[in-house]
Amino acid sequence: VELNGEKWEQQLYGGGSYASYRQPILAFGFGKLTGKAKVEVRWPSGKIQNIEAVDLNQLMVMEEPTE
């Protein structure tokens, strides 16, 4: 995620161990920053998805593009 010239990065790992579950959620906190963010997702397949002008303070549901 890029916002006002600053960048934040997180990774989500799948899988787990027997009888365990990990919620596939990444949360970014921007404090009092304002503006529109740019989101870049690098999928395990190698695909890169860029989303421009993303509003803050929202939940986004992401799925890997099929094309």
Side-chain angles (χ1 to χ4, degrees), residues 41-43 45 47-50 62-67:
V41 180
R42 294 176 179 259
W43 296 99
S45 66
K47 292 180 183 176
I48 298 174
Q49 183 178 9
N50 288 295
M62 307 290 295
E63 290 187 24
E64 184 172 3
T66 56
E67 296 179 8

Side-chain angles (χ1 to χ4, degrees), residues 2-3 5 8-10 12-13 18-20 23-25 36 45-47 50-51 54-55 57 60-61 66:
E2 184 174 341
L3 176 64
W8 293 264
E9 183 178 312
Q10 292 187 26
L12 180 64
Y13 298 97
Y18 175 75
S20 71
Q23 279 195 309
I25 295 174
K36 301 275 186 174
S45 66
K47 292 180 183 176
N50 288 295
I51 305 165
V54 175
D55 290 323
N57 298 315
M60 294 178 66
V61 177
T66 56

Side-chain angles (χ1 to χ4, degrees), residues 21 30 65:
Y21 177 73
F30 300 110

